[in-house]
Amino acid sequence: MAFEPVIGLEVHAQLKTKTKIFCNCSTAFGKSPNANTCPVCTGMPGVLPVLNKQAVTFAIKAGLATNCTINRESRFDRKNYFYPDLPKGYQISQYAKPIAEHGFLDIEVDAKEKRIGITRIHMEEDAGKLIHDPLRGKSMVDLNRTGVPLIEIVSEPDLRTAAQAGAYLRKLHTILKYIDVCDGNMEEGSFRCDANISLRPIGQEKLGTRTELKNLNSFKNVEKAILYEIQRQTCVLEEGGQVIQETRLWDPAKNRTASMRGKEEAHDYRYFPDPDLVPLIVDDAWIQTVRAGMPELPDEKKQRFIQEYSLSEYDAGVLTAGLDMANFFEETIKPLKNIKQAANWTMTTLMGMLNAKGIEICDSPVSAHAFSKLLGLLESSRINANAAKTVFEEMVETGKDPEAIVKEKGLEQVSDQGELEAMVDEIIKENPEEAKAYRDGKTKLFSFFMGQVMKKTRGKADPKVVTPMLKSKL
Ligand code: ADP
Ligand code: MG
Ligand code: ZN
């Protein structure tokens, strides 16, 4: 029997507020344990939560950017469970009435567009962190993260492959960074994902039993874990077994998932409205203000790049996949004319360098301004492409100005007519047999002569000047 995978993702994104969601403690990462705490976020009896307005504005922004309806009234509920990193014994979340619902995202995989439904976006507070000390057999609690505002974005079970899940996740990540509500840092846990996976016989409507995968802390791991889980469930079903509904942990070292605990049901949490918080009312004016402040979204930017800069669909997609890269590119091409050339250099030479170094564009040793200057030298034929590559490498190494490197290394293109003409005459004179053969129709020899010119100028002759000159003289 053939099975079809069904995947739904739950993404937790940390909102970029300065302070926590229900108190005014700082959200800064990396502070000494429990430095960012107060009676409210450590769950002392009798304290009252006060909702952070900025967190709501960010949640609305995320809802609008993912085509959701913003609920004019939503409310906060208590999700009850016991764990040492949750001092109150409950997490404040939104259950029955989330801030936003019924949205979607369009993804593209293998040149095919697919619309992925977004069930809901709700706001909640993060829990703390346990730090285990195996040496002393002790665990310690750090509550700095307790009460940090999160949104949880829940997708419909519309995804069918690991690649689609990866594309959805990347798109969502890009959007949240574009609208500047989440820093997207996966290592620091600002953007985390759980994946729900089930299989069903092809053609069957009813969903199969799912497992939920946790500890997926990179895009690659999400895809690898899903692929593994699809395979594991296929084996279970093919052997006539049943998938058990459970939570499984991805082990990146062993490249497999392992059972962690039985999957809890919503009623296990005994959700109920938090009596300390009044319903959250969002009026039209608030939504309008957020809408008015919405920046250009990835899809819009891509379309503009195609239209304004005549880039291909593919190039525009690559250049707008990250906001920092898109900004770098637009900064680069400001003074340039040859946009296509700049796009090629950005996607091959610049991105190649970033990949090799394993760094992001914001840490590039070559600034947009310097990169633009380099491409300007290429555009005005002051240097040729070969020399530009050399200059770029030197810029990466030393951070020097491209103009200075060209001067220092004597890389300027020879395009002086007189100088080149004398050289061409000399080369033809030195190679009479080849010249005769060329004239007799062996036009392939043209590249031989071009090679001689390049040799004499150590690669610095301007082909645009030399080509017609050689042709006419030959
Ligand atoms: P929870 O995991 O908190 O119990 P939900 O029931 O809302 O919450 O489901 C969470 C995610 O699991 C959603 O993204 C949903 O699309 C997905 N999902 C639900 N049922 C299945 C299933 N049978 N197979 C795959 N994904 C599923
Ligand atoms: Mg879940
Ligand atoms: Zn606090």
Side-chain angles (χ1 to χ4, degrees):
M1 190 182 276
F3 297 102
E4 174 186 52
V6 174
I7 305 155
L9 299 182
E10 296 164 274
V11 171
H12 286 94
Q14 181 179 328
L15 297 175
K16 265 173 92 171
T17 55
K18 289 199 180 71
T19 57
K20 294 186 180 181
I21 186 168
F22 297 120
C23 62
N24 59 13
C25 289
S26 163
T27 54
F29 184 82
K31 290 284 141 67
S32 60
N34 300 303
N36 298 343
T37 58
C38 75
V40 174
C41 53
T42 52
M44 294 297 124
V47 294
L48 288 170
V50 177
L51 181 58
N52 182 336
K53 186 170 183 182
Q54 185 63 52
V56 180
T57 294
F58 282 163
I60 295 172
K61 208 170 177 185
L64 293 176
T66 51
N67 309 293
C68 287
T69 307
I70 307 300
N71 285 328
R72 298 304 195 268
E73 180 180 337
S74 68
R75 51 174 324 144
F76 288 93
D77 300 284
R78 291 186 180 180
K79 179 179 181 180
N80 299 278
Y81 66 91
F82 174 80
Y83 206 66
D85 67 8
L86 187 75
K88 294 199 297 292
Y90 62 84
Q91 176 194 26
I92 305 179
S93 182
Q94 295 190 302
Y95 183 60
K97 279 191 200 167
I99 179 94
E101 24 184 7
H102 312 308
F104 65 84
L105 275 191
D106 291 328
I107 59 165
E108 201 187 296
V109 175
D110 297 333
K112 267 198 282 252
E113 274 232 339
K114 189 170 160 78
R115 179 159 292 186
I116 308 301
I118 288 177
T119 317
R120 52 190 273 142
I121 298 181
H122 62 255
M123 305 174 64
E124 60 187 26
E125 55 178 350
D126 208 347
K129 201 170 80 183
L130 292 184
I131 300 162
H132 303 292
D133 181 349
L135 214 64
R136 292 168 189 81
K138 280 185 180 166
S139 291
M140 287 164 286
V141 188
D142 177 7
L143 298 179
N144 281 349
R145 225 175 55 188
T146 312
V148 164
L150 304 177
I151 46 174
E152 178 172 342
I153 303 154
V154 182
S155 88
E156 289 289 304
D158 289 344
L159 300 155
R160 295 291 171 264
T161 63
Q164 286 178 11
Y168 167 85
L169 212 56
R170 286 188 177 87
K171 184 81 176 268
L172 187 56
H173 186 256
T174 303
I175 289 175
L176 295 182
K177 286 196 70 168
Y178 261 67
I179 63 175
D180 206 23
V181 304
C182 171
D183 70 21
N185 192 324
M186 289 180 100
E187 281 110 68
E188 290 176 10
S190 309
F191 186 89
R192 324 194 272 269
C193 164
D194 300 338
N196 295 269
I197 299 153
S198 65
L199 296 185
R200 63 181 171 190
I202 287 175
Q204 177 182 304
E205 187 77 24
K206 192 168 163 278
L207 295 180
T209 305
R210 71 174 145 139
T211 58
E212 179 169 345
L213 306 186
K214 290 197 182 279
N215 194 35
L216 311 173
N217 56 7
S218 72
F219 294 118
K220 268 269 147 315
N221 276 335
V222 172
E223 294 188 31
K224 282 206 271 189
I226 291 174
L227 284 175
Y228 173 86
E229 188 59 16
I230 290 172
Q231 237 177 27
R232 189 192 67 84
Q233 291 188 16
T234 306
C235 287
V236 170
L237 295 176
E238 276 176 351
E239 284 168 10
Q242 279 185 332
V243 173
I244 302 164
Q245 176 154 333
E246 61 183 354
T247 300
R248 298 177 68 87
L249 215 55
W250 169 247
D251 184 341
K254 295 197 181 120
N255 263 312
R256 63 191 194 91
T257 64
S259 179
M260 178 173 135
R261 57 166 192 251
K263 171 91 180 87
E264 62 291 328
E265 304 279 350
H267 63 248
D268 294 329
Y269 290 118
R270 201 174 57 97
Y271 281 101
F272 66 89
D274 191 314
D276 287 341
L277 288 155
V278 295
L280 169 60
I281 308 296
V282 176
D283 60 13
D284 290 344
W286 194 350
I287 295 174
Q288 265 330 103
T289 309
V290 176
R291 207 188 284 282
M294 190 72 88
E296 187 179 41
L297 293 176
D299 283 347
E300 294 164 350
K301 201 183 279 293
K302 182 177 163 186
Q303 286 314 314
R304 181 169 65 76
F305 274 32
I306 292 172
Q307 251 137 46
E308 205 173 314
Y309 305 133
S310 303
L311 293 175
S312 71
E313 175 101 19
Y314 176 81
D315 291 1
V318 172
L319 291 167
T320 57
L323 181 59
D324 291 336
M325 183 55 80
N327 288 342
F328 186 100
F329 178 71
E330 288 209 281
E331 185 68 30
T332 299
I333 60 175
K334 248 183 221 159
L336 300 178
K337 282 185 205 76
N338 192 340
I339 309 298
K340 178 65 195 157
Q341 175 167 274
N344 286 341
W345 273 75
T346 305
M347 292 192 301
T348 54
T349 313
L350 183 84
M351 289 189 186
M353 179 273 293
L354 296 176
N355 277 341
K357 286 189 177 293
I359 56 173
E360 299 291 325
I361 183 68
C362 48
D363 298 318
S364 169
V366 176
S367 69
H369 179 68
F371 193 53
S372 181
K373 252 177 126 175
L374 170 67
L375 295 178
L377 293 172
L378 184 61
E379 214 173 79
S380 62
S381 297
R382 287 268 311 282
I383 54 176
N384 62 26
N386 264 332
K389 287 243 159 62
T390 308
V391 174
F392 181 78
E393 276 158 26
E394 186 76 10
M395 287 163 76
V396 172
E397 284 307 308
T398 64
K400 278 190 195 157
D401 179 73
E403 182 91 45
I405 297 170
V406 168
K407 289 232 170 72
E408 199 181 288
K409 301 204 153 202
L411 289 168
E412 204 143 351
Q413 224 165 200
V414 183
S415 44
D416 180 78
Q417 287 278 344
E419 197 179 330
L420 285 171
E421 224 164 292
M423 208 177 283
V424 166
D425 286 341
E426 205 178 289
I427 288 167
I428 294 175
K429 210 188 273 164
E430 283 168 3
N431 300 281
E433 274 160 45
E434 283 80 0
K436 184 177 180 300
Y438 177 88
R439 285 174 197 130
D440 289 345
K442 277 207 157 184
T443 50
K444 272 196 191 141
L445 278 166
F446 186 79
S447 54
F448 161 78
F449 284 101
M450 189 55 121
Q452 293 299 308
V453 177
M454 284 301 175
K455 206 164 139 192
K456 266 205 165 34
T457 56
R458 287 187 298 129
K460 292 182 296 182
D462 184 349
K464 283 201 280 306
V465 179
V466 177
T467 304
M469 190 185 282
L470 249 181
K471 279 204 174 130
S472 79
K473 287 203 180 265
L474 275 168

